[in-house]
């Protein structure tokens, strides 16, 4: 079942802009994170063990890009996706060197930069706005996870919703599209929390969203709580129900970069369905086919946001 019949996926969005398949190539540029290096804290977010999705020592960017091209051989054009840790957490000159090293490939048509809301100073936003002005596809990917400050404190994010609102306003002032990451099933949260979080994100305006279920991974602080039976990640059906409702409430122009997530064994401890790539996606697509796709429950227009593409 094709998800992009019902959802404005990033794949569909990029095919619309470039007329062909464009894939994201994940990169690790040896950044760290202020929630791990002691600036804000040392433990990191309770759900996080970045070893679960990235190697320890990063290879040169050119090598990583070549490796990605080999794996994603069904595309001829790509977005360089600075994914690991906090990919704006360095001097602007360093960021500029790294981003431009990635953009140097003739087949690289844009940049996605994953970071925290409290790590995007104006100079970084100006740098990203400059790439967009040159015709690149640009996305600032902000990890928010929840709009509730008590949840954010409980998972040790080290920032509140106000930091997110501030980053979004400054990004929008420069025309930089934001993709917001949200987690469904965080400790003590109900489906209503997820829906309220979505509402608050949409109220501020957003060009892209990424959803994923709470996953328990080895080495994270939540792993111990899960072993003690204090935390239970959502099962596939529950997650699909909540994600489907969120997608239906999302205005059609918003681009979904992801609607579920996977992790590899043995790093993944729970839920087991996240070991497979398609179970969550297919469950959501089936529900959307039966109930109506993205935007079918939207009651209000999206506030003005930077368009998610910049026609050249
Ligand atoms: S989730 Fe992101 S912000 Fe949180 S500890 Fe991990 S790398 Fe840092």
């Amino acid at each position: 079942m094709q998800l992009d019949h019902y959802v404005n996926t990033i794949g569909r969005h990029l095919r619309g802009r470039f007329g062909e398949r464009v894939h994201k190539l994940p990169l690790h540029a040896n950044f760290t994170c202020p929630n791990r290096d002691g600036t804000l804290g040392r433990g990191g977010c309770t759900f996080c063990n970045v070893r679960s999705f990235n190697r320890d020592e990063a290879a040169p960017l050119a090598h990583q890009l070549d490796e990605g091209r080999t794996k994603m051989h069904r595309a001829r054009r790509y977005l360089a996706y600075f994914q690991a840790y906090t990919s704006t957490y360095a001097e602007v000159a360093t960021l500029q060197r790294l981003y431009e090293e990635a953009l140097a490939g003739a087949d690289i048509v844009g940049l996605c930069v994953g970071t925290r809301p409290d790590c995007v100073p104006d100079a970084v936003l100006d740098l990203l706005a400059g790439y967009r002005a040159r015709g690149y596809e640009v996305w600032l990917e902000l990890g928010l996870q929840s709009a509730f400050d008590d949840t954010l404190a409980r998972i040790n994010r080290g920032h509140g919703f106000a930091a997110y609102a501030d980053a979004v306003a400054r990004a929008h002032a420069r025309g930089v599209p934001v993709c917001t990451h949200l987690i469904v099933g965080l400790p003590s949260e109900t489906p209503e929390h997820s829906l309220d979080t979505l509402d608050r994100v949409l109220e501020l305006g957003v060009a892209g969203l990424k959803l994923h279920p709470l996953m328990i991974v080895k080495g994270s602080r939540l792993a111990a709580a899960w072993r003690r039976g204090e935390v239970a990640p959502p099962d596939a059906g529950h997650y699909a129900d909540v994600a489907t409702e969120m997608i239906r409430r999302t205005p059609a122009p918003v681009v979904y970069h992801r609607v579920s997530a996977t992790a590899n064994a043995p790093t993944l401890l729970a839920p087991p369905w996240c070991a497979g790539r398609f179970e969550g996606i297919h469950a959501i697509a089936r529900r959307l086919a039966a109930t109506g796709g993205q935007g079918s429950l939207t009651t209000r227009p999206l506030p003005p946001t930077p368009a998610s593409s910049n026609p050249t």
Side-chain angles (χ1 to χ4, degrees):
M1 188 164 285
Q2 277 291 97
L3 185 70
D4 58 10
H5 290 173
Y6 313 104
V7 178
N8 185 22
T9 62
I10 184 71
R12 185 168 111 183
H13 161 75
L14 292 170
R15 277 197 306 278
R17 177 175 179 193
F18 294 99
E20 63 179 303
R21 194 189 296 263
V22 177
H23 281 160
K24 284 166 107 168
L25 300 181
L27 296 172
H28 182 338
N30 287 316
F31 293 111
T32 178
C33 163
N35 206 14
R36 290 179 156 256
D37 73 0
T39 304
L40 287 172
R42 288 212 177 270
C45 305
T46 58
F47 57 85
C48 177
N49 173 5
V50 291
R51 287 184 188 185
S52 66
F53 51 87
N54 268 298
R55 64 196 105 191
D56 276 349
E57 293 299 326
L61 290 183
H63 178 85
Q64 293 181 55
L65 288 167
D66 279 344
E67 209 174 66
R69 288 179 178 105
T70 305
K71 282 187 196 150
M72 309 278 190
H73 59 275
R74 291 168 68 204
R76 294 181 307 165
R77 297 208 264 185
Y78 306 95
L79 301 181
Y81 177 23
F82 286 84
Q83 180 182 32
Y85 291 84
T86 300
S87 294
T88 56
Y89 192 44
E91 295 296 323
V92 175
T94 304
L95 298 176
Q96 183 169 8
R97 176 177 57 75
L98 290 166
Y99 297 163
E100 292 184 11
E101 189 180 332
L103 289 171
D107 55 355
I108 307 294
V109 294
L111 199 61
C112 302
V113 176
T115 187
R116 298 165 50 89
D118 55 356
C119 280
V120 280
D122 288 350
V124 171
L125 294 172
D126 290 340
L127 183 65
L128 296 179
Y131 298 133
R132 192 158 185 267
R134 284 161 53 186
Y136 287 112
E137 175 91 7
V138 172
W139 288 92
L140 177 67
E141 300 206 14
L142 293 180
L144 173 63
Q145 320 310 351
S146 169
F148 290 86
D149 283 346
D150 53 349
T151 300
L152 296 176
R154 199 176 298 120
I155 62 174
N156 197 40
R157 281 292 295 177
H159 67 76
F161 186 75
Y164 169 79
D166 173 61
V168 168
R170 289 183 295 108
H172 287 174
R174 291 164 174 79
V176 175
V178 171
C179 170
T180 300
H181 297 199
L182 302 176
I183 296 179
V184 171
L186 285 167
S188 304
E189 289 212 336
T190 63
E192 285 65 39
H193 285 91
S194 297
L195 297 172
D196 287 351
T197 287
L198 176 72
D199 280 347
R200 293 184 69 186
V201 166
L202 293 175
E203 270 166 26
L204 294 180
V206 74
L209 287 169
K210 221 177 221 189
L211 303 183
H212 65 86
L214 178 67
M215 294 191 293
I216 310 294
V217 295
K218 266 188 189 167
S220 68
R221 291 159 76 184
L222 275 186
W226 173 76
R227 286 195 183 93
R228 293 193 299 269
E230 295 165 6
V231 177
D235 64 37
H238 176 79
Y239 176 72
D241 286 343
V242 179
T244 298
E245 180 83 4
M246 293 172 82
I247 293 165
R248 294 186 69 207
R249 290 185 185 205
T250 303
V254 175
V255 177
Y256 268 93
H257 289 231
R258 186 203 288 157
V259 301
S260 188
T262 58
N264 296 325
T267 303
L268 177 69
L269 298 176
W273 62 271
C274 284
R277 187 160 166 226
F278 294 111
E279 182 172 347
I281 292 174
H282 287 170
I284 291 167
R286 278 196 301 276
R287 283 162 173 75
L288 291 170
T291 60
Q294 181 176 341
S296 57
L297 286 179
T298 306
T299 53
R300 56 183 161 70
L302 191 66
T305 54
S308 51
S309 63
N310 182 23
T312 51

